[in-house]
Amino acid sequence: MNVAPLIQSHLEKAVQHIADGHQLLAALDIPKQILHKKLLISQKPYEAYRVQHNDWLGPFKGGLRFHPTVDLNEFQTLAYLMTLKCALLGLPFGGAKGGIAVDPKELSEKELEELSRTFVREFFDNLGQDRDIPAPDVNTNPQIMAWMLDEYEKMLGSHAPATFTGKPVALGGSLGREQATGVGGAIVLREYAGKIGKKPQDLTVAVQGFGNVGHYFAQTVSNMGFRIMALSDSKGAIATSQTEGFDIEQILSCKKGKGYLAGCYCVGGVCDIRFGRKIANEELLELPVDIVVPAALENVIHENNANNIKAPIILEMANGPITKEADEMLIKKGVTIIPDILANAGGVTVSYFEWVQGRMGYYWEEQEVLEKLEKKMKEAFGQVWNISHEKNIPLRTASYLLALQRLHMALQLKR
Ligand code: GLU
């Protein structure tokens, strides 16, 4: 299998701590099923994929991404990461990932709906609440899940809301799901700060990405007291020289009004964000803050900028934002990396709660969902922290190790 060298090297470091670990890796190496189909919309063909990596712990689980550059290799790697993420959080799910090679911004809403429904028609036999449960990912959202669920239920001839998560609340989605990934990352960061004896107010943060994940993350850590010194979206970045950091509520309303973040800084008398300045997107990662948070794309920290990173802590809210080479350089420099499979696992954790609620037909209040999320994230962080200290290994290796141990146990019990 062509798992990206990135996760291959992390897996190998972790598996050294498991007896017979190489047999386990060999068993996990090949995905259970790779589905690859061509969808026709307005007479144009689109490549669609679903990689069902592993289901030892439960049905396949993972998002659907609509992006022009996706391919089978990327989905295989991301599906493997979902297997690890679900195992690490102790969720009764395996791992999958899929989507369509398309730029959804080039489609009309009607075409996007047709594409989403066609995906379900083509993959119907392989989906199901006990089989494979998709969710949103890059460029997909609750509306797309609503179309997909509707198509699925029409074909099935009955209701099955737990087949998709990340749905609108009105169709059986869970309260708290929308903010879950960002909030989960904020809980992990707060726990980490506590372990190193710091208060949130002592720590400054730069966040790259202001989409669903970055925006809820920034809002939550800011409410906890962390100081946000820089933010960016795909159109540009802003930084502040005010010691207390940005007022996130002000930034949110500014972005809503202007449509993009780089518009939110002082120009003459017409600024609404005081003491802000526009910076280059790459500069944000290299700012002298305590914590850098890549919350957008993959591979943004690589061998050419890793040595310029000044922050002693990186929290990976995107999947795979640090390349293998950069990871090794940063570890050598003594940078602490809080890995993606832990930091961004809040999304799939609340997807699990959504699945549970959908199956029992009894829906919880938001407070209850968020309390359960907090408990899960704290527990996973605490376990990873302990392994990392007992074995003197980085947090990423400890996270991979804990996930692999749980998969190993399942494999042993099954054979
Ligand atoms: N796409 C999200 C992830 O990468 C959520 C997946 C899910 O909820 O199934 O973790």
Side-chain angles (χ1 to χ4, degrees), residues 369-411:
V369 174
L370 294 176
E371 273 165 23
K372 286 185 161 64
L373 171 65
E374 167 138 11
K375 187 161 176 275
K376 275 273 182 209
M377 299 307 294
K378 275 166 88 166
E379 194 177 88
F381 174 81
Q383 289 164 336
V384 167
W385 176 265
N386 289 344
I387 294 175
S388 152
H389 278 74
E390 276 156 25
K391 298 202 180 290
N392 195 20
I393 52 178
L395 293 172
R396 187 189 315 274
T397 314
S399 302
Y400 273 59
L401 176 55
L402 180 54
L404 288 173
Q405 279 169 339
R406 291 189 173 141
L407 288 159
H408 197 209
M409 168 84 80
L411 180 63

mmCIF file of all heavy atoms in Angstrom, residues 369-411:
data_model
loop_
_atom_site.group_PDB
_atom_site.id
_atom_site.type_symbol
_atom_site.label_atom_id
_atom_site.label_comp_id
_atom_site.label_asym_id
_atom_site.label_seq_id
_atom_site.Cartn_x
_atom_site.Cartn_y
_atom_site.Cartn_z
ATOM 1 N N VAL A 369 -23.651 17.267 25.276
ATOM 2 C CA VAL A 369 -22.722 16.843 24.221
ATOM 3 C C VAL A 369 -21.328 17.414 24.512
ATOM 4 O O VAL A 369 -20.320 16.699 24.449
ATOM 5 C CB VAL A 369 -23.217 17.342 22.837
ATOM 6 C CG1 VAL A 369 -22.194 17.044 21.748
ATOM 7 C CG2 VAL A 369 -24.564 16.717 22.485
ATOM 8 N N LEU A 370 -21.281 18.699 24.865
ATOM 9 C CA LEU A 370 -19.984 19.335 25.085
ATOM 10 C C LEU A 370 -19.285 18.775 26.321
ATOM 11 O O LEU A 370 -18.062 18.642 26.343
ATOM 12 C CB LEU A 370 -20.132 20.862 25.156
ATOM 13 C CG LEU A 370 -20.574 21.507 23.831
ATOM 14 C CD1 LEU A 370 -20.797 23.000 23.998
ATOM 15 C CD2 LEU A 370 -19.581 21.243 22.698
ATOM 16 N N GLU A 371 -20.067 18.410 27.336
ATOM 17 C CA GLU A 371 -19.456 17.789 28.523
ATOM 18 C C GLU A 371 -18.852 16.430 28.177
ATOM 19 O O GLU A 371 -17.759 16.088 28.607
ATOM 20 C CB GLU A 371 -20.522 17.590 29.622
ATOM 21 C CG GLU A 371 -20.674 18.825 30.497
ATOM 22 C CD GLU A 371 -21.949 18.798 31.340
ATOM 23 O OE1 GLU A 371 -22.499 17.699 31.609
ATOM 24 O OE2 GLU A 371 -22.387 19.894 31.707
ATOM 25 N N LYS A 372 -19.581 15.682 27.361
ATOM 26 C CA LYS A 372 -19.073 14.358 26.960
ATOM 27 C C LYS A 372 -17.822 14.515 26.094
ATOM 28 O O LYS A 372 -16.873 13.729 26.190
ATOM 29 C CB LYS A 372 -20.158 13.586 26.203
ATOM 30 C CG LYS A 372 -21.269 13.055 27.095
ATOM 31 C CD LYS A 372 -22.245 12.200 26.301
ATOM 32 C CE LYS A 372 -23.076 11.282 27.171
ATOM 33 N NZ LYS A 372 -23.986 11.950 28.100
ATOM 34 N N LEU A 373 -17.838 15.542 25.239
ATOM 35 C CA LEU A 373 -16.660 15.800 24.387
ATOM 36 C C LEU A 373 -15.450 16.114 25.267
ATOM 37 O O LEU A 373 -14.360 15.582 25.081
ATOM 38 C CB LEU A 373 -16.949 16.978 23.434
ATOM 39 C CG LEU A 373 -15.750 17.506 22.649
ATOM 40 C CD1 LEU A 373 -15.224 16.456 21.668
ATOM 41 C CD2 LEU A 373 -16.118 18.784 21.866
ATOM 42 N N GLU A 374 -15.663 16.991 26.229
ATOM 43 C CA GLU A 374 -14.572 17.399 27.125
ATOM 44 C C GLU A 374 -13.974 16.184 27.844
ATOM 45 O O GLU A 374 -12.758 16.029 27.941
ATOM 46 C CB GLU A 374 -15.127 18.422 28.122
ATOM 47 C CG GLU A 374 -14.210 18.689 29.269
ATOM 48 C CD GLU A 374 -14.127 20.163 29.629
ATOM 49 O OE1 GLU A 374 -14.934 20.961 29.123
ATOM 50 O OE2 GLU A 374 -13.245 20.496 30.422
ATOM 51 N N LYS A 375 -14.853 15.310 28.300
ATOM 52 C CA LYS A 375 -14.393 14.126 29.038
ATOM 53 C C LYS A 375 -13.510 13.249 28.131
ATOM 54 O O LYS A 375 -12.435 12.818 28.522
ATOM 55 C CB LYS A 375 -15.636 13.354 29.518
ATOM 56 C CG LYS A 375 -15.355 12.218 30.427
ATOM 57 C CD LYS A 375 -16.626 11.821 31.198
ATOM 58 C CE LYS A 375 -16.372 10.604 32.053
ATOM 59 N NZ LYS A 375 -16.530 9.336 31.353
ATOM 60 N N LYS A 376 -13.988 13.014 26.914
ATOM 61 C CA LYS A 376 -13.250 12.168 25.966
ATOM 62 C C LYS A 376 -11.887 12.776 25.622
ATOM 63 O O LYS A 376 -10.881 12.073 25.562
ATOM 64 C CB LYS A 376 -14.054 12.009 24.665
ATOM 65 C CG LYS A 376 -15.061 10.906 24.725
ATOM 66 C CD LYS A 376 -14.378 9.603 24.315
ATOM 67 C CE LYS A 376 -15.291 8.421 24.297
ATOM 68 N NZ LYS A 376 -14.553 7.181 24.591
ATOM 69 N N MET A 377 -11.881 14.074 25.347
ATOM 70 C CA MET A 377 -10.625 14.714 24.923
ATOM 71 C C MET A 377 -9.623 14.715 26.075
ATOM 72 O O MET A 377 -8.434 14.474 25.870
ATOM 73 C CB MET A 377 -10.859 16.160 24.442
ATOM 74 C CG MET A 377 -11.771 16.340 23.250
ATOM 75 S SD MET A 377 -11.387 15.375 21.777
ATOM 76 C CE MET A 377 -9.842 16.028 21.230
ATOM 77 N N LYS A 378 -10.099 14.996 27.287
ATOM 78 C CA LYS A 378 -9.208 15.039 28.447
ATOM 79 C C LYS A 378 -8.608 13.661 28.713
ATOM 80 O O LYS A 378 -7.433 13.525 29.014
ATOM 81 C CB LYS A 378 -9.983 15.503 29.699
ATOM 82 C CG LYS A 378 -10.054 17.012 29.819
ATOM 83 C CD LYS A 378 -11.067 17.465 30.821
ATOM 84 C CE LYS A 378 -10.554 17.576 32.224
ATOM 85 N NZ LYS A 378 -11.511 18.347 33.057
ATOM 86 N N GLU A 379 -9.480 12.665 28.596
ATOM 87 C CA GLU A 379 -9.035 11.300 28.845
ATOM 88 C C GLU A 379 -7.948 10.899 27.839
ATOM 89 O O GLU A 379 -6.888 10.408 28.221
ATOM 90 C CB GLU A 379 -10.262 10.397 28.683
ATOM 91 C CG GLU A 379 -10.137 8.997 29.188
ATOM 92 C CD GLU A 379 -11.488 8.299 28.986
ATOM 93 O OE1 GLU A 379 -11.718 7.739 27.909
ATOM 94 O OE2 GLU A 379 -12.316 8.354 29.914
ATOM 95 N N ALA A 380 -8.211 11.157 26.550
ATOM 96 C CA ALA A 380 -7.239 10.778 25.518
ATOM 97 C C ALA A 380 -5.933 11.550 25.720
ATOM 98 O O ALA A 380 -4.843 10.985 25.653
ATOM 99 C CB ALA A 380 -7.811 11.034 24.124
ATOM 100 N N PHE A 381 -6.047 12.850 26.001
ATOM 101 C CA PHE A 381 -4.827 13.630 26.198
ATOM 102 C C PHE A 381 -4.033 13.091 27.386
ATOM 103 O O PHE A 381 -2.817 12.913 27.313
ATOM 104 C CB PHE A 381 -5.129 15.124 26.418
ATOM 105 C CG PHE A 381 -3.883 15.878 26.755
ATOM 106 C CD1 PHE A 381 -3.013 16.271 25.752
ATOM 107 C CD2 PHE A 381 -3.530 16.126 28.073
ATOM 108 C CE1 PHE A 381 -1.813 16.904 26.057
ATOM 109 C CE2 PHE A 381 -2.340 16.753 28.394
ATOM 110 C CZ PHE A 381 -1.476 17.151 27.384
ATOM 111 N N GLY A 382 -4.723 12.806 28.489
ATOM 112 C CA GLY A 382 -4.041 12.317 29.698
ATOM 113 C C GLY A 382 -3.315 11.005 29.425
ATOM 114 O O GLY A 382 -2.167 10.814 29.847
ATOM 115 N N GLN A 383 -3.968 10.109 28.686
ATOM 116 C CA GLN A 383 -3.337 8.823 28.383
ATOM 117 C C GLN A 383 -2.095 9.016 27.514
ATOM 118 O O GLN A 383 -1.045 8.425 27.758
ATOM 119 C CB GLN A 383 -4.333 7.893 27.664
ATOM 120 C CG GLN A 383 -5.435 7.402 28.598
ATOM 121 C CD GLN A 383 -6.637 6.820 27.846
ATOM 122 O OE1 GLN A 383 -6.875 7.139 26.689
ATOM 123 N NE2 GLN A 383 -7.398 5.985 28.518
ATOM 124 N N VAL A 384 -2.221 9.874 26.507
ATOM 125 C CA VAL A 384 -1.084 10.125 25.610
ATOM 126 C C VAL A 384 0.066 10.770 26.396
ATOM 127 O O VAL A 384 1.232 10.402 26.254
ATOM 128 C CB VAL A 384 -1.523 11.031 24.428
ATOM 129 C CG1 VAL A 384 -0.323 11.561 23.657
ATOM 130 C CG2 VAL A 384 -2.469 10.264 23.503
ATOM 131 N N TRP A 385 -0.287 11.721 27.236
ATOM 132 C CA TRP A 385 0.737 12.415 28.038
ATOM 133 C C TRP A 385 1.511 11.401 28.896
ATOM 134 O O TRP A 385 2.737 11.411 28.963
ATOM 135 C CB TRP A 385 0.066 13.475 28.913
ATOM 136 C CG TRP A 385 1.008 14.172 29.826
ATOM 137 C CD1 TRP A 385 1.267 13.841 31.131
ATOM 138 C CD2 TRP A 385 1.842 15.299 29.513
ATOM 139 N NE1 TRP A 385 2.207 14.692 31.642
ATOM 140 C CE2 TRP A 385 2.574 15.600 30.679
ATOM 141 C CE3 TRP A 385 2.029 16.068 28.366
ATOM 142 C CZ2 TRP A 385 3.493 16.646 30.732
ATOM 143 C CZ3 TRP A 385 2.941 17.114 28.426
ATOM 144 C CH2 TRP A 385 3.666 17.395 29.588
ATOM 145 N N ASN A 386 0.762 10.493 29.559
ATOM 146 C CA ASN A 386 1.424 9.519 30.434
ATOM 147 C C ASN A 386 2.354 8.596 29.646
ATOM 148 O O ASN A 386 3.477 8.347 30.070
ATOM 149 C CB ASN A 386 0.382 8.678 31.186
ATOM 150 C CG ASN A 386 -0.327 9.531 32.230
ATOM 151 O OD1 ASN A 386 0.138 10.611 32.599
ATOM 152 N ND2 ASN A 386 -1.472 9.055 32.695
ATOM 153 N N ILE A 387 1.880 8.112 28.499
ATOM 154 C CA ILE A 387 2.729 7.212 27.698
ATOM 155 C C ILE A 387 3.983 7.962 27.257
ATOM 156 O O ILE A 387 5.097 7.457 27.316
ATOM 157 C CB ILE A 387 1.950 6.688 26.459
ATOM 158 C CG1 ILE A 387 0.806 5.801 26.919
ATOM 159 C CG2 ILE A 387 2.874 5.944 25.502
ATOM 160 C CD1 ILE A 387 -0.098 5.317 25.810
ATOM 161 N N SER A 388 3.794 9.198 26.836
ATOM 162 C CA SER A 388 4.925 9.986 26.349
ATOM 163 C C SER A 388 5.971 10.157 27.458
ATOM 164 O O SER A 388 7.175 10.073 27.199
ATOM 165 C CB SER A 388 4.376 11.323 25.838
ATOM 166 O OG SER A 388 5.317 12.319 25.941
ATOM 167 N N HIS A 389 5.510 10.347 28.696
ATOM 168 C CA HIS A 389 6.462 10.527 29.790
ATOM 169 C C HIS A 389 7.075 9.219 30.270
ATOM 170 O O HIS A 389 8.263 9.164 30.533
ATOM 171 C CB HIS A 389 5.817 11.327 30.934
ATOM 172 C CG HIS A 389 5.899 12.774 30.588
ATOM 173 N ND1 HIS A 389 5.090 13.345 29.624
ATOM 174 C CD2 HIS A 389 6.768 13.733 30.985
ATOM 175 C CE1 HIS A 389 5.437 14.610 29.472
ATOM 176 N NE2 HIS A 389 6.452 14.874 30.284
ATOM 177 N N GLU A 390 6.235 8.175 30.339
ATOM 178 C CA GLU A 390 6.779 6.870 30.766
ATOM 179 C C GLU A 390 7.843 6.381 29.807
ATOM 180 O O GLU A 390 8.856 5.843 30.206
ATOM 181 C CB GLU A 390 5.653 5.817 30.795
ATOM 182 C CG GLU A 390 4.849 5.822 32.082
ATOM 183 C CD GLU A 390 3.459 5.238 31.851
ATOM 184 O OE1 GLU A 390 3.256 4.427 30.916
ATOM 185 O OE2 GLU A 390 2.541 5.629 32.619
ATOM 186 N N LYS A 391 7.597 6.558 28.513
ATOM 187 C CA LYS A 391 8.511 5.974 27.528
ATOM 188 C C LYS A 391 9.487 6.998 26.949
ATOM 189 O O LYS A 391 10.312 6.661 26.101
ATOM 190 C CB LYS A 391 7.709 5.339 26.377
ATOM 191 C CG LYS A 391 6.812 4.218 26.826
ATOM 192 C CD LYS A 391 6.471 3.300 25.672
ATOM 193 C CE LYS A 391 5.584 2.167 26.071
ATOM 194 N NZ LYS A 391 6.201 1.163 26.919
ATOM 195 N N ASN A 392 9.349 8.231 27.392
ATOM 196 C CA ASN A 392 10.202 9.305 26.891
ATOM 197 C C ASN A 392 10.158 9.403 25.359
ATOM 198 O O ASN A 392 11.184 9.358 24.685
ATOM 199 C CB ASN A 392 11.639 9.079 27.406
ATOM 200 C CG ASN A 392 12.471 10.339 27.231
ATOM 201 O OD1 ASN A 392 11.921 11.431 27.098
ATOM 202 N ND2 ASN A 392 13.781 10.182 27.204
ATOM 203 N N ILE A 393 8.948 9.474 24.824
ATOM 204 C CA ILE A 393 8.760 9.587 23.376
ATOM 205 C C ILE A 393 7.870 10.802 23.086
ATOM 206 O O ILE A 393 7.100 11.233 23.946
ATOM 207 C CB ILE A 393 8.112 8.293 22.772
ATOM 208 C CG1 ILE A 393 6.828 7.903 23.544
ATOM 209 C CG2 ILE A 393 9.102 7.137 22.761
ATOM 210 C CD1 ILE A 393 6.108 6.684 23.008
ATOM 211 N N PRO A 394 7.973 11.372 21.861
ATOM 212 C CA PRO A 394 7.138 12.536 21.540
ATOM 213 C C PRO A 394 5.648 12.209 21.625
ATOM 214 O O PRO A 394 5.243 11.044 21.524
ATOM 215 C CB PRO A 394 7.527 12.866 20.098
ATOM 216 C CG PRO A 394 8.838 12.212 19.863
ATOM 217 C CD PRO A 394 8.867 10.998 20.756
ATOM 218 N N LEU A 395 4.831 13.254 21.772
ATOM 219 C CA LEU A 395 3.377 13.053 21.891
ATOM 220 C C LEU A 395 2.805 12.337 20.672
ATOM 221 O O LEU A 395 1.867 11.555 20.778
ATOM 222 C CB LEU A 395 2.671 14.403 22.082
ATOM 223 C CG LEU A 395 2.962 15.116 23.410
ATOM 224 C CD1 LEU A 395 2.374 16.527 23.398
ATOM 225 C CD2 LEU A 395 2.400 14.324 24.592
ATOM 226 N N ARG A 396 3.387 12.595 19.491
ATOM 227 C CA ARG A 396 2.853 11.924 18.300
ATOM 228 C C ARG A 396 3.108 10.420 18.384
ATOM 229 O O ARG A 396 2.209 9.612 18.141
ATOM 230 C CB ARG A 396 3.461 12.482 17.017
ATOM 231 C CG ARG A 396 2.734 11.872 15.813
ATOM 232 C CD ARG A 396 3.359 12.152 14.469
ATOM 233 N NE ARG A 396 3.785 13.487 14.212
ATOM 234 C CZ ARG A 396 3.025 14.474 13.738
ATOM 235 N NH1 ARG A 396 1.760 14.266 13.486
ATOM 236 N NH2 ARG A 396 3.538 15.669 13.510
ATOM 237 N N THR A 397 4.336 10.052 18.745
ATOM 238 C CA THR A 397 4.646 8.618 18.818
ATOM 239 C C THR A 397 3.752 7.970 19.879
ATOM 240 O O THR A 397 3.241 6.862 19.687
ATOM 241 C CB THR A 397 6.144 8.412 19.150
ATOM 242 O OG1 THR A 397 6.903 9.275 18.311
ATOM 243 C CG2 THR A 397 6.575 6.990 18.932
ATOM 244 N N ALA A 398 3.537 8.678 20.990
ATOM 245 C CA ALA A 398 2.681 8.135 22.055
ATOM 246 C C ALA A 398 1.242 7.973 21.563
ATOM 247 O O ALA A 398 0.571 6.985 21.878
ATOM 248 C CB ALA A 398 2.727 9.048 23.270
ATOM 249 N N SER A 399 0.751 8.925 20.776
ATOM 250 C CA SER A 399 -0.625 8.829 20.245
ATOM 251 C C SER A 399 -0.748 7.645 19.293
ATOM 252 O O SER A 399 -1.721 6.875 19.356
ATOM 253 C CB SER A 399 -1.005 10.101 19.472
ATOM 254 O OG SER A 399 -0.905 11.223 20.296
ATOM 255 N N TYR A 400 0.223 7.514 18.393
ATOM 256 C CA TYR A 400 0.201 6.386 17.460
ATOM 257 C C TYR A 400 0.273 5.071 18.239
ATOM 258 O O TYR A 400 -0.417 4.103 17.932
ATOM 259 C CB TYR A 400 1.371 6.466 16.465
ATOM 260 C CG TYR A 400 1.087 7.280 15.228
ATOM 261 C CD1 TYR A 400 0.726 8.625 15.301
ATOM 262 C CD2 TYR A 400 1.185 6.703 13.956
ATOM 263 C CE1 TYR A 400 0.470 9.371 14.156
ATOM 264 C CE2 TYR A 400 0.922 7.442 12.810
ATOM 265 C CZ TYR A 400 0.573 8.774 12.912
ATOM 266 O OH TYR A 400 0.324 9.494 11.775
ATOM 267 N N LEU A 401 1.131 5.047 19.272
ATOM 268 C CA LEU A 401 1.314 3.821 20.041
ATOM 269 C C LEU A 401 0.005 3.404 20.723
ATOM 270 O O LEU A 401 -0.407 2.244 20.633
ATOM 271 C CB LEU A 401 2.440 4.024 21.070
ATOM 272 C CG LEU A 401 2.708 2.863 22.018
ATOM 273 C CD1 LEU A 401 2.982 1.572 21.243
ATOM 274 C CD2 LEU A 401 3.904 3.179 22.922
ATOM 275 N N LEU A 402 -0.670 4.348 21.354
ATOM 276 C CA LEU A 402 -1.922 4.019 22.043
ATOM 277 C C LEU A 402 -2.965 3.509 21.041
ATOM 278 O O LEU A 402 -3.656 2.504 21.285
ATOM 279 C CB LEU A 402 -2.443 5.253 22.799
ATOM 280 C CG LEU A 402 -3.740 5.089 23.577
ATOM 281 C CD1 LEU A 402 -3.675 3.917 24.548
ATOM 282 C CD2 LEU A 402 -4.073 6.374 24.348
ATOM 283 N N ALA A 403 -3.057 4.170 19.895
ATOM 284 C CA ALA A 403 -4.012 3.732 18.867
ATOM 285 C C ALA A 403 -3.644 2.332 18.380
ATOM 286 O O ALA A 403 -4.514 1.443 18.277
ATOM 287 C CB ALA A 403 -4.016 4.718 17.699
ATOM 288 N N LEU A 404 -2.367 2.105 18.123
ATOM 289 C CA LEU A 404 -1.939 0.785 17.614
ATOM 290 C C LEU A 404 -2.153 -0.305 18.663
ATOM 291 O O LEU A 404 -2.518 -1.434 18.315
ATOM 292 C CB LEU A 404 -0.466 0.833 17.178
ATOM 293 C CG LEU A 404 -0.192 1.613 15.879
ATOM 294 C CD1 LEU A 404 1.316 1.738 15.635
ATOM 295 C CD2 LEU A 404 -0.850 0.947 14.661
ATOM 296 N N GLN A 405 -1.946 0.031 19.942
ATOM 297 C CA GLN A 405 -2.175 -0.974 20.996
ATOM 298 C C GLN A 405 -3.630 -1.426 20.997
ATOM 299 O O GLN A 405 -3.928 -2.608 21.165
ATOM 300 C CB GLN A 405 -1.817 -0.383 22.372
ATOM 301 C CG GLN A 405 -0.326 -0.421 22.652
ATOM 302 C CD GLN A 405 0.041 0.412 23.882
ATOM 303 O OE1 GLN A 405 -0.695 1.305 24.290
ATOM 304 N NE2 GLN A 405 1.202 0.128 24.462
ATOM 305 N N ARG A 406 -4.544 -0.461 20.811
ATOM 306 C CA ARG A 406 -5.969 -0.844 20.821
ATOM 307 C C ARG A 406 -6.324 -1.698 19.603
ATOM 308 O O ARG A 406 -7.119 -2.631 19.694
ATOM 309 C CB ARG A 406 -6.836 0.416 20.869
ATOM 310 C CG ARG A 406 -6.691 1.083 22.216
ATOM 311 C CD ARG A 406 -7.667 2.213 22.424
ATOM 312 N NE ARG A 406 -7.565 2.672 23.793
ATOM 313 C CZ ARG A 406 -7.632 3.929 24.174
ATOM 314 N NH1 ARG A 406 -7.816 4.881 23.270
ATOM 315 N NH2 ARG A 406 -7.529 4.259 25.429
ATOM 316 N N LEU A 407 -5.719 -1.366 18.460
ATOM 317 C CA LEU A 407 -5.971 -2.160 17.257
ATOM 318 C C LEU A 407 -5.370 -3.556 17.426
ATOM 319 O O LEU A 407 -5.952 -4.559 17.009
ATOM 320 C CB LEU A 407 -5.388 -1.449 16.032
ATOM 321 C CG LEU A 407 -6.179 -0.194 15.634
ATOM 322 C CD1 LEU A 407 -5.337 0.759 14.798
ATOM 323 C CD2 LEU A 407 -7.441 -0.588 14.856
ATOM 324 N N HIS A 408 -4.211 -3.616 18.053
ATOM 325 C CA HIS A 408 -3.523 -4.884 18.285
ATOM 326 C C HIS A 408 -4.383 -5.804 19.146
ATOM 327 O O HIS A 408 -4.558 -6.984 18.849
ATOM 328 C CB HIS A 408 -2.198 -4.574 18.992
ATOM 329 C CG HIS A 408 -1.208 -5.696 18.932
ATOM 330 N ND1 HIS A 408 -0.272 -5.913 19.890
ATOM 331 C CD2 HIS A 408 -1.022 -6.681 18.022
ATOM 332 C CE1 HIS A 408 0.457 -6.972 19.574
ATOM 333 N NE2 HIS A 408 0.010 -7.453 18.445
ATOM 334 N N MET A 409 -4.932 -5.224 20.193
ATOM 335 C CA MET A 409 -5.795 -5.979 21.113
ATOM 336 C C MET A 409 -6.983 -6.551 20.335
ATOM 337 O O MET A 409 -7.334 -7.732 20.478
ATOM 338 C CB MET A 409 -6.278 -5.017 22.210
ATOM 339 C CG MET A 409 -7.374 -5.528 23.068
ATOM 340 S SD MET A 409 -6.739 -6.519 24.385
ATOM 341 C CE MET A 409 -6.214 -5.215 25.498
ATOM 342 N N ALA A 410 -7.604 -5.729 19.483
ATOM 343 C CA ALA A 410 -8.763 -6.195 18.712
ATOM 344 C C ALA A 410 -8.354 -7.335 17.790
ATOM 345 O O ALA A 410 -9.061 -8.351 17.691
ATOM 346 C CB ALA A 410 -9.352 -5.042 17.901
ATOM 347 N N LEU A 411 -7.209 -7.193 17.165
ATOM 348 C CA LEU A 411 -6.741 -8.228 16.232
ATOM 349 C C LEU A 411 -6.513 -9.534 16.982
ATOM 350 O O LEU A 411 -6.927 -10.610 16.529
ATOM 351 C CB LEU A 411 -5.455 -7.750 15.549
ATOM 352 C CG LEU A 411 -4.821 -8.701 14.544
ATOM 353 C CD1 LEU A 411 -5.752 -8.936 13.364
ATOM 354 C CD2 LEU A 411 -3.485 -8.173 14.038
#
